[in-house]
Amino acid sequence: MAAGWLLVFSLTLFQSLVMNHSSEGPFPSATTIKSWVDKMQEDLVTLARTASGVDQLAAIYLKNRDLYTVEANNPRQLVEIAARDIEKLLSNRSKALVRLAKEAEKYQASHQWRDEFGNNDIIYYNAKDDQNDPEKNDTESGSQRIRPVFEEDPVFRRQTSYQHAAVHIPTDIYEGSTIVLNELNWTAALDDVFKRNREEDPTLLWQVFGSATGLARYYPASPWVDKSRTPNKIDLYDVRRRPWYIQGAASPKDMLILVDASGSVSGLTLKLIRTSVIEMLETLSDDDFVNVVSFNNNAQNVSCFNHLVQANVRNKKKLKEAVYKISAKGITDYKKGFSYAFEQLLNHSVSRANCNKIIMLFTDGGEERAQEIFHKYNEDKKVRVFTFSVGQHNYDKGPIQWMACENKGYYYEIPSIGAIRINTQEYLDVLGRPMVLAGEKAKQVQWTNVYLDALELGLVITGTLPVFNLTKEQNGKINQLILGVMGVDVSLEDIKKLTPRFTLCPNGYYFAIDPNGYVLLHPNLQPKAQSCEELMDMDSVHLICSIILQHKPITLKTKEPLLESEKLSSSQLNLGRLRWIIRKLIVAVSLCSFLLFQ
């Protein structure tokens, strides 16, 4: 123990000598510095070998060779065992998911719609409630708020309550509306299912029901915003925009977004079109394929993509950047635009979803219907056409309404920026109808790519299952709407536990890739670090441990320290760098010594 702290003391003394070194005096030569480094490395290695007893441990193993055997790993067998364990984990989560979806459909089918609710008819916990605000009137919307008793949860690393579920309602939705109150009424029965699932599998994490109305009910209950965060921060979360909801709400699709870039859309209308297209791209998941085409006298791709591409984060970012560069000029020629769009959609020489085919038209209106183009390319109506009239104008809307109705699509109006978000996601309800009609055949648990959990659980994947409306209309026809999506999270840490690295050689590790080509499991797959200082300290410890454990010469690669003045001589710059390195070495050696002697 004394040897370790002696080394720390010597480094500290050395640092003080360097710190007090006059900037006007001669800087130590490279040979002198190298001798210091070699001496420090030698002392560190000696300290580590003496304190850790590594030599004695090696001798014990040599002495007892008859008590153990060294066998070669079977890589295929290790991978098969890990895959089987992961499959078992996901299968258990899927059972909870299926139970939740079935119970949700049953509860909604037996629910009686109510136009009015009395005070305190609806009892729930709103995750965005300020528990310290006694002035809030809970009875204004016909509901009563629950005040759960929270406890710190080591699994979720935040406050939770297993006695209740929490409800999140988007900021732009009135929680006292009749639709929301009815949703709160029938989804309250899901709380018992959540609890029953956890009783059967205590390792379950978040269980969530995302409604098509935007309401999200999740278990266990937990405040939406931590008290440590800025209280005035605007909450823009909408469950319908989450990747797991998008993936579960509709089957894969090939989408061609057609943008009117004629001179008539210049100004505010063009800004609304750009924003609308950006929001439309956000409704796509990695299972979808997309491209954006603008047209006026001619049609052209807005980006470098000349065909449909996978709607992953990288490609959507490229398309968004290109959309912002669209300029308005020329005249509107729907024939040129739709011809170009259909040719891309019907091009089977490139990868695509090969499921739903859609054209999304964003325009300010026009007099042309382009009937011959639809007759040529879409006589069998296999491509749906959705049209959006953007901006406030007096153009004839009849032609673009006809385009949508004649091609199994819908017509929407976006007069202002407030109408963009809701209108660009309503098409998902239309695409969900074939799934509802297909019934159980369309019900398959899907697993998302890795993403960062909104409630700070870290990196997760989510299993999703659509929830169908099984009620019938007055004419006896089955309702063709999706109620929402059920989701169950699996933490990446849980998957890592099933792939222990001690079963491999020191430099071996497991990794996994999903069908979309995304890395699911890898030692370097980590969320972004929150603190630079924390990273620097951990790098210092890793640096010292590399010297201790491997006893190999290393090359120091450091970042420049923040200097007060930019006008420094070469000797001052080198001195500052050396001081910074020594400070980090002292911190690392202190931590390493502390750990070794515990």
Side-chain angles (χ1 to χ4, degrees):
M1 181 71 177
W5 293 116
L6 180 61
L7 178 61
V8 175
F9 173 75
S10 62
L11 277 173
T12 308
L13 179 62
F14 175 58
Q15 180 199 24
S16 64
L17 291 174
V18 175
M19 296 298 181
N20 297 326
H21 191 279
S22 173
S23 59
E24 297 177 356
F27 188 79
S29 65
T31 304
T32 302
I33 295 176
K34 184 178 185 303
S35 66
W36 293 346
V37 173
D38 291 341
K39 177 61 177 172
M40 282 191 290
Q41 177 170 301
E42 180 182 345
D43 291 345
L44 283 171
V45 172
T46 302
L47 168 65
R49 299 188 74 87
T50 302
S52 65
V54 63
D55 294 329
Q56 293 87 337
L57 185 62
I60 292 173
Y61 269 89
L62 290 174
K63 182 180 178 180
N64 298 280
R65 288 180 178 177
D66 56 323
L67 301 179
Y68 66 88
T69 59
V70 179
E71 301 177 356
N73 277 329
N74 184 336
R76 179 181 292 275
Q77 185 180 22
L78 290 174
V79 170
E80 289 176 349
I81 292 173
R84 190 162 55 247
D85 291 341
I86 294 173
E87 184 179 359
K88 182 179 179 181
L89 171 67
L90 299 184
S91 176
N92 290 337
R93 296 292 193 274
S94 297
K95 291 177 182 177
L97 200 56
V98 171
R99 181 186 294 114
L100 281 167
K102 287 184 177 179
E103 293 297 319
E105 291 174 350
K106 183 179 72 174
Y107 292 145
Q108 196 277 337
S110 61
H111 173 256
Q112 296 296 320
W113 178 271
R114 295 172 59 180
D115 293 323
E116 294 182 0
F117 289 87
N119 292 340
N120 303 331
D121 279 356
I122 308 297
I123 302 175
Y124 72 104
Y125 165 60
N126 189 321
K128 293 192 290 184
D129 273 349
D130 183 1
Q131 299 183 39
N132 298 320
D133 183 10
E135 302 297 326
K136 193 173 184 67
N137 187 354
D138 296 340
T139 62
E140 287 181 356
S141 61
S143 61
Q144 180 181 352
R145 303 297 176 79
I146 295 173
R147 305 296 188 190
V149 178
F150 294 109
E151 295 180 357
E152 285 296 329
D153 193 321
V155 176
F156 292 95
R157 299 187 292 275
R158 62 187 292 122
Q159 291 186 332
T160 62
S161 171
Y162 289 95
Q163 302 303 315
H164 306 280
V167 172
H168 177 278
I169 301 173
T171 304
D172 56 348
I173 294 179
Y174 174 49
E175 60 189 89
S177 68
T178 304
I179 294 177
V180 171
L181 291 176
N182 276 277
E183 288 272 352
L184 289 170
N185 193 16
W186 75 261
T187 58
L190 291 175
D191 291 11
D192 292 333
V193 188
F194 289 145
K195 295 174 184 178
R196 193 160 65 247
N197 279 342
R198 185 176 181 275
E199 289 174 1
E200 294 185 10
D201 184 0
T203 65
L204 273 175
L205 300 176
W206 297 122
Q207 303 176 65
V208 190
F209 171 65
S211 169
T213 62
L215 178 148
R217 183 180 287 270
Y218 61 92
Y219 178 87
S222 183
W224 190 254
V225 180
D226 285 343
K227 295 179 181 178
S228 60
R229 297 196 174 183
T230 306
N232 295 325
K233 184 178 180 181
I234 298 175
D235 175 37
L236 298 177
Y237 181 90
D238 189 326
V239 69
R240 295 167 295 183
R241 296 281 169 161
R242 297 298 289 170
W244 63 270
Y245 184 94
I246 294 171
Q247 184 167 318
S251 49
K253 47 196 170 291
D254 297 321
M255 178 185 290
L256 196 291
I257 301 176
L258 193 58
V259 178
D260 183 354
S262 62
S264 62
V265 303
S266 60
L268 178 60
T269 300
L270 180 58
K271 292 181 181 179
L272 289 174
I273 288 178
R274 287 172 179 163
T275 307
S276 300
V277 173
I278 299 300
E279 287 294 320
M280 182 62 71
L281 289 171
E282 287 301 316
T283 67
L284 302 176
S285 70
D286 293 313
D287 293 332
D288 304 320
F289 286 76
V290 65
N291 199 10
V292 181
V293 170
S294 65
F295 72 98
N296 37 43
N297 308 68
N298 296 296
Q300 54 277 322
N301 300 305
V302 300
S303 68
C304 58
F305 303 131
N306 55 16
H307 56 77
L308 297 181
V309 294
Q310 187 180 12
N312 54 36
V313 175
R314 173 188 173 275
N315 291 340
K316 287 194 289 187
K317 181 181 178 182
K318 292 286 185 183
L319 289 171
K320 290 176 185 177
E321 292 172 351
V323 166
Y324 281 119
K325 298 177 182 178
I326 295 177
S327 58
K329 58 184 177 181
I331 61 174
T332 304
D333 190 339
Y334 286 128
K335 293 180 182 179
K336 291 282 183 65
F338 277 107
S339 295
Y340 197 87
F342 277 114
E343 286 172 5
Q344 280 206 21
L345 278 177
L346 299 177
N347 178 13
H348 297 286
S349 61
V350 294
S351 299
R352 60 205 32 249
N354 289 322
C355 192
N356 294 299
K357 291 182 172 58
I358 313 168
I359 293 177
M360 297 289 187
L361 172 65
F362 290 89
T363 181
D364 59 348
E367 299 178 356
E368 188 180 18
R369 295 193 176 190
Q371 291 171 286
E372 60 270 35
I373 301 301
F374 294 116
H375 180 74
K376 176 181 178 181
Y377 291 101
N378 201 35
E379 190 173 9
D380 53 4
K381 313 296 183 186
K382 289 185 177 180
V383 178
R384 292 179 180 266
V385 178
F386 293 81
T387 58
F388 297 82
S389 175
V390 185
Q392 297 181 2
H393 46 72
N394 296 320
Y395 299 130
D396 184 11
K397 301 172 184 176
I400 60 175
Q401 287 178 327
W402 176 89
M403 292 176 187
C405 294
E406 287 295 314
N407 292 276
K408 300 174 70 175
Y410 270 74
Y411 163 79
Y412 302 96
E413 292 186 6
I414 303 179
S416 62
I417 195 168
I420 291 176
R421 195 169 192 181
I422 185 66
N423 285 325
T424 53
Q425 65 188 18
E426 282 198 350
Y427 80 96
L428 291 173
D429 292 337
V430 179
L431 297 187
R433 290 178 180 178
M435 295 173 59
V436 179
L437 293 175
E440 294 299 321
K441 295 180 181 178
K443 282 199 169 186
Q444 295 182 353
V445 176
Q446 300 184 65
W447 292 94
T448 66
N449 301 322
V450 177
Y451 68 96
L452 202 58
D453 178 52
L455 287 173
E456 303 173 332
L457 191 58
L459 295 176
V460 299
I461 61 173
T462 301
T464 65
L465 199 62
V467 180
F468 298 155
N469 189 335
L470 301 182
T471 60
K472 294 184 178 181
E473 298 176 358
Q474 293 181 351
N475 56 11
K477 291 185 178 180
I478 298 176
N479 203 311
Q480 300 178 12
L481 295 176
I482 283 184
L483 293 174
V485 177
M486 201 67 72
V488 173
D489 285 346
V490 174
S491 171
L492 214 59
E493 292 301 319
D494 290 341
I495 298 179
K496 286 181 180 179
K497 292 175 183 177
L498 302 177
T499 57
R501 295 184 65 174
F502 66 78
T503 59
L504 305 174
C505 58
N507 296 320
Y509 58 86
Y510 291 88
F511 69 94
I513 300 175
D514 72 5
N516 285 319
Y518 285 89
V519 176
L520 175 66
L521 185 68
H522 193 279
N524 293 337
L525 183 62
Q526 299 289 340
K528 290 184 179 180
Q530 299 295 323
S531 171
C532 271
E533 290 297 325
E534 180 183 350
L535 254 183
M536 290 164 57
D537 286 343
M538 291 308 297
D539 284 344
S540 300
V541 175
H542 178 72
L543 171 70
I544 298 301
C545 289
S546 297
I547 299 174
I548 293 172
L549 298 178
Q550 299 181 25
H551 195 184
K552 293 180 180 179
I554 59 171
T555 301
L556 293 177
K557 294 182 180 180
T558 64
K559 295 181 180 179
E560 295 292 346
L562 295 176
L563 302 175
E564 295 180 359
S565 173
E566 296 181 356
K567 298 180 180 179
L568 295 174
S569 64
S570 176
S571 62
Q572 287 176 312
L573 187 62
N574 291 333
L575 191 62
R577 180 183 299 170
L578 183 61
R579 290 169 180 168
W580 184 85
I581 293 173
I582 293 171
R583 282 197 298 267
K584 290 301 170 186
L585 279 172
I586 291 173
V587 172
V589 172
S590 301
L591 289 172
C592 196
S593 299
F594 176 78
L595 293 173
L596 284 172
F597 290 105
Q598 292 304 302

